[in-house]
Amino acid sequence: MRAGPSQEEIRRHNLGALLRHVHLSGPTSRAELTSRMGLNRSTIMALTADLTAAGLVREELPRETGRAGRPSLVVRPESARVYVFALDVGVDRLVAARVGLGGTILDRRETVRRRGAFSLDEIVGPLAAFARQMHRKTRADTVCVGVAAAFSGGVARGDGVVRFGPNMGAVDVPFADEMARRLAFGLPVMVGNDANLAALAEHTRGVGVGCRDLVYLHGDVGIGGGVIVNGQLLGGHGGFGGEVGHMVVNPKGRSCGCGSLGCLEAEVGERALLESAGLFGSGVGRDAVRAVVDAADRGDIGAQAALSRVGDWLGLGVANLVNIFNPEMVVFGGMLREIYLGSAAQVRSRLAVDALPTCRDDLRLRTSALGDDATLVGAAELAFAQVLADPIEVLARAGS
Ligand SMILES: [Zn+2]
């Protein structure tokens, strides 16, 4: 017979669950925590006392209760004291931010990344410099509990090696180790695929809060994605699951950076849109994509035709995903936010034809709520994962 969890294991689990509540929901009263967690008042009081003693939360009187009687104390995350570094490696930009417990961005630095030959040094160098600048500005009583990065590429589970990043020119890059070495904070660097992390961010803090089944599509130069099934990110065997951008929608179509033909990202990505609009070569990036959508809004026939063509392929891709995963919501983020807004009618008409009625009933199509920060917010959540799993232990280690 297998023994059940010990009292200590239950306590650790509950400490993590309580901290996660205030991290995601913000200041929460003890009474509310009692009902949400299904634990009794004295247990909540003891857990809160432990987290307070560790410096992870603090309790205070609510500002206004509007009710008679003794008010329930509010438990608030120590956002200014406990923080992580979140890094975002996109095709065109590098971002580093110091993010407090509770998800507050306390400080951030950003620079443009040049497209062209891949150089690990040109990514790690500026990010490490940004993080060290921000670190120097922190007070002595603050504590960093994690570092994580969102990377535009396929990241192997466990070792932080970027196996492929066709739009970055990255192959088998030991990003996590090099980043940790250059930071020299004595902390490992966690790394995840940017679109996977953005999917998690939208699910925990964005438009998909409360959705159990969600498909997120992320446009950078190419298209990435993240599939949330029953509340969990679908990782696949090696951690490379959710590469929706390389779903073949047009076998005789345009060539893709991955070597295949007619992948969703080859038909819908930045290059496809700009070429269809006759604008390829006159500028790239998010501004160039926005210019096409704006021109279509103003009635430019060429821009409208380009968006309609791209929207048709996007709708076909979404129809396939809807048929396979039957999500409650599909979210368009990154550059795809603009493309979807400019081609929603086309996407919807494709879905009406190609998605099974049973799978598209009740389906909601939405744009990202976190916008360009979705990947960064996702990286921060990855960095917080350990302290939320075992708060006291991780804080003791980080503070020592
Ligand atoms: Zn491809």
Side-chain angles (χ1 to χ4, degrees), residues 195-204 208 211-216 225-234 325-329:
N196 277 190
L197 292 179
L200 284 171
E202 289 294 343
H203 178 244
T204 49
C211 265
R212 301 292 297 168
D213 295 276
L214 176 156
V215 172
Y216 172 83
V227 180
I228 309 274
V229 175
N230 197 21
Q232 300 289 320
L233 181 74
L234 195 72
F325 296 108
N326 183 204
E328 185 181 341
M329 185 184 285

Side-chain angles (χ1 to χ4, degrees), residues 76-208:
R76 178 183 286 275
E78 282 280 18
S79 301
R81 190 178 112 76
V82 181
Y83 69 92
V84 296
F85 279 109
L87 312 171
D88 185 15
V89 182
V91 175
D92 291 326
R93 65 169 200 168
L94 302 171
V95 190
R98 199 164 72 82
V99 182
L101 191 64
T104 314
I105 295 182
L106 302 167
D107 199 355
R108 72 182 284 163
R109 304 275 192 283
E110 180 167 344
T111 188
V112 171
R113 177 185 173 269
R114 282 186 302 113
R115 292 192 191 179
F118 182 83
S119 157
L120 183 57
D121 197 52
E122 285 176 13
I123 291 171
V124 169
L127 288 176
F130 285 160
R132 279 198 302 270
Q133 283 167 19
M134 290 187 276
H135 187 63
R136 275 197 296 275
K137 283 173 60 186
T138 58
R139 295 193 324 243
D141 67 337
T142 59
V143 54
C144 177
V145 293
V147 185
F151 200 107
S152 176
V155 182
R157 181 180 286 148
D159 65 4
V161 171
V162 179
R163 293 279 178 233
F164 63 92
N167 295 305
M168 301 275 289
V171 180
D172 290 339
V173 178
F175 173 77
D177 285 352
E178 185 56 18
M179 195 72 234
R181 193 181 70 77
R182 291 284 279 272
L183 284 173
F185 287 167
L187 287 168
V189 174
M190 321 283 285
V191 191
N193 168 264
D194 59 346
N196 277 190
L197 292 179
L200 284 171
E202 289 294 343
H203 178 244
T204 49
R205 292 192 178 275
V207 70

Side-chain angles (χ1 to χ4, degrees), residues 14-16 18-19 46-58 391-392:
N14 287 339
L15 284 167
L18 197 158
L19 191 62
L47 294 170
T48 307
D50 285 351
L51 292 173
T52 304
L56 286 155
V57 301
R58 93 187 112 90
I392 307 285

Side-chain angles (χ1 to χ4, degrees), residues 246 256 258 263:
H246 298 286
C256 182
C258 73
C263 293

